[in-house]
Amino acid sequence: MHCAVVLLASRAAFAAPLRACHAMASNLLHVLPPQGLLRPLAVPERLLLGPGPSNVPPRILAAGGRQLLGHMHPEVLQVMDDIKVGIQYAFQTQNQLTLAISGTGHCAMEAALLNLVEHGDTVLVAVNGIWGQRAADIARRLGASVHELLKPPGEYFPPWDIEEGLVRHKPSVLFITHGESSTGVLQPLEGLGKLCHRHGCLLLVDAVASLGGAPIFMDQQEIDILYSGSQKVLNAPPGSAPISFSERAREKILRRKTKPPSFYLDMRWLANYWGCDGEPRRYHHTAPINSFFSLREGLAMLAELGLENSWEHHRVNCAQLCQGLRDLGLELFVKEEKARLPTITTVRVPEGYDWKEITAFLMDNHAIEIAGGLGPSVGKVLRIGLMGCNSTSRNVDRVLHALRDALRCCRRSRL
Ligand SMILES: *Cc1c(COP(=O)(O)O)cnc(C)c1O
Ligand SMILES: *[C@@H]1O[C@H](CO)[C@@H](O)[C@H](O)[C@H]1NC(C)=O
């Protein structure tokens, strides 16, 4: 007590020119109002052409800025129902258990794994970039016996490799990434669902970077668990993540011997909260209501444009970007054209350049964000994202123009 008084007194002596009206209160406080917070929020204009987030168009921004409603008010429940059917459209599924997780893409990844996997289950993870590595990490934390199928960054998994893994390890779940955003690879999904089912395994697919940008047909491709995020092609702020479970996956969850280790992400609770189980809705958590408003608008814009048009935009603009990069004398990281992710293009860092100087140059001189590599592609590539409303021919021209400028200005003098 004595100590505290001395401290207070000495701090007051040092507290310089506080305005009189603040002096009383400040004498009681050990921590002063931070200077940074007394300045206005700074948000410069930037063209976000990295691997995410993408720019948010005015309509979605406005939706996120609307006044709050109670999270169980009928209008909000209606928004949740709209989101549900919007995800069913985007995923091309009729699964009842379809909803948005209150969190980012990682949260959906954890929700998928921790609801499906119990201690001692065998999980097979296809690793050709950072997302497989992370899925394997999460599955290990859950006490699963994890086996990895490996491919060098830049390559995808042909079905025979998958089948060999299924035969050898007999997993109950296979994890694979549709759009490997760390390497720019698009994984073909045709036939994988059937293959998994023939071997008594569920197919779990990460489509955070590919949803809306590359064809995916959850029901026809017999994918059991599919998830995505809000911040990439859907052009909504990060914070809500679409996810859907097939009937097979739902049954596996219902057969669990133990509760999932997270209350927040327990799919039985979430199914009820989202009106997927036919029971009256009960309070589980307070939904991030404004994130849901934004996600609804992102899904609505996708529905208005049409999935096929969205896929076609991304394909055409990515092709224009790839051609432009080659014309600059740059080398695309993913060799096979059909294996290139239409939303995120990876290009090798050219000889004699430092990738950090190039990304910094684009930011400082052109207010454009592009990114370096991630995980296994660090130092090797630049990643250029063209997602949703920012996948335009004009943006391709802008980023190519900026890169040409960077190649001129950032060359290292070699000894
Ligand atoms: C971006 C991304 C994620 C993670 O999403 P966050 O919103 O950053 O949590 C997961 N998987 C893939 C393939 C991604 O591109
Ligand atoms: C990128 O997206 C932002 C937000 O919608 C938009 O303001 C901007 O015009 C887009 N860029 C272009 C040139 O398409």
Side-chain angles (χ1 to χ4, degrees):
M1 189 66 212
H2 177 72
C3 218
V5 170
V6 171
L7 249 170
L8 272 173
S10 64
R11 208 207 40 68
F14 283 104
L18 285 169
R19 275 188 282 135
C21 61
H22 287 169
M24 273 283 267
S26 299
N27 284 342
L28 301 172
L29 303 178
H30 289 230
V31 181
L32 295 177
Q35 285 305 306
L37 283 182
L38 304 179
R39 289 191 291 270
L41 173 69
V43 184
E45 283 267 339
R46 255 170 216 160
L47 182 57
L48 302 181
L49 301 186
S54 53
N55 287 105
V56 180
R59 170 171 166 187
I60 296 178
L61 273 185
R66 297 293 292 271
Q67 181 53 275
L68 276 178
L69 295 168
H71 71 119
M72 302 285 264
H73 291 184
E75 296 81 1
V76 173
L77 299 183
Q78 181 61 51
V79 167
M80 291 165 79
D81 288 345
D82 293 345
I83 288 173
K84 220 156 63 175
V85 292
I87 297 171
Q88 287 174 333
Y89 171 69
F91 284 7
Q92 288 294 292
T93 182
Q94 301 190 12
N95 291 333
Q96 277 305 304
L97 188 47
T98 299
L99 50 83
I101 300 287
S102 301
T104 71
H106 278 88
C107 204
M109 194 173 189
E110 294 212 313
L113 285 163
L114 71 82
N115 279 282
L116 286 171
V117 175
E118 283 187 271
H119 210 275
D121 281 357
T122 301
V123 177
L124 182 61
V125 180
V127 183
N128 57 345
I130 198 183
W131 303 108
Q133 292 174 354
R134 294 218 168 154
D137 179 335
I138 294 168
R140 283 196 190 95
R141 287 167 195 247
L142 296 169
S145 157
V146 176
H147 300 277
E148 297 182 7
L149 280 178
L150 299 173
K151 276 279 169 212
E155 294 182 21
Y156 62 86
F157 293 87
W160 49 89
D161 280 2
I162 303 278
E163 178 147 38
E164 199 188 305
L166 293 171
V167 170
R168 177 175 313 171
H169 300 295
K170 302 183 177 44
S172 57
V173 176
L174 167 73
F175 174 96
I176 199 159
T177 311
H178 185 222
E180 227 313 335
S181 54
S182 67
T183 61
V185 167
L186 182 68
Q187 169 66 44
L189 296 173
E190 252 353 282
L192 292 192
K194 265 203 175 56
L195 200 56
C196 284
H197 297 155
R198 209 176 318 128
H199 292 276
C201 173
L202 296 178
L203 175 60
L204 163 56
V205 176
D206 175 326
V208 179
S210 53
L211 182 74
I216 195 161
F217 302 93
M218 184 173 191
D219 288 357
Q220 280 142 276
Q221 291 169 331
E222 299 185 43
I223 298 166
D224 292 295
I225 308 94
L226 182 63
Y227 65 85
S228 189
S230 53
Q231 49 131 331
K232 301 195 183 181
V233 171
L234 291 176
N235 294 140
S240 56
I243 194 167
S244 180
F245 295 76
S246 71
E247 199 44 39
R248 269 194 183 85
R250 200 181 70 91
E251 279 164 13
K252 176 154 170 53
I253 293 173
L254 293 177
R255 277 199 315 269
R256 287 183 69 100
K257 294 186 279 297
T258 54
K259 287 185 179 181
S262 162
F263 177 83
Y264 190 59
L265 297 176
D266 184 332
M267 207 45 66
R268 282 211 198 195
W269 273 98
L270 292 174
N272 173 269
Y273 189 40
W274 280 82
C276 302
D277 67 355
E279 304 275 319
R281 298 188 196 210
R282 293 183 302 274
Y283 167 66
H284 174 246
H285 67 283
T286 305
I289 296 154
N290 298 66
S291 288
F292 287 178
F293 290 169
S294 306
L295 178 61
R296 184 208 180 272
E297 291 304 278
L299 288 164
M301 286 172 72
L302 182 60
E304 286 168 15
L305 174 62
L307 265 180
E308 289 151 302
N309 288 330
S310 183
W311 296 335
E312 183 62 7
H313 281 186
H314 286 85
R315 191 188 65 75
V316 168
N317 294 319
C318 175
Q320 186 193 336
L321 175 65
C322 289
Q323 187 55 49
L325 291 168
R326 278 198 224 92
D327 292 346
L328 288 178
L330 298 172
E331 187 191 342
L332 298 174
F333 186 65
V334 180
K335 290 284 156 294
E336 235 181 296
E337 184 176 347
K338 77 168 192 343
R340 287 187 199 131
L341 181 57
T343 47
I344 296 164
T345 298
T346 41
V347 58
R348 281 191 189 277
V349 178
E351 276 299 318
Y353 290 87
D354 175 347
W355 69 268
K356 278 192 197 131
E357 284 182 18
I358 297 178
T359 55
F361 183 89
L362 261 65
M363 180 65 80
D364 296 343
N365 297 283
H366 296 269
I368 296 177
E369 178 193 56
I370 66 165
L374 179 68
S377 65
V378 159
K380 297 195 179 96
V381 301
L382 296 168
R383 294 183 299 156
I384 305 170
L386 294 170
M387 295 189 280
C389 68
N390 279 137
S391 174
T392 62
S393 176
R394 207 179 139 256
N395 282 350
V396 172
D397 290 339
R398 261 185 82 179
V399 74
L400 287 172
H401 168 79
L403 272 172
R404 189 175 305 117
D405 204 10
L407 292 177
R408 206 155 29 78
C409 300
C410 302
R411 179 177 274 284
R412 292 250 156 134
S413 56
R414 272 176 290 171
L415 295 174

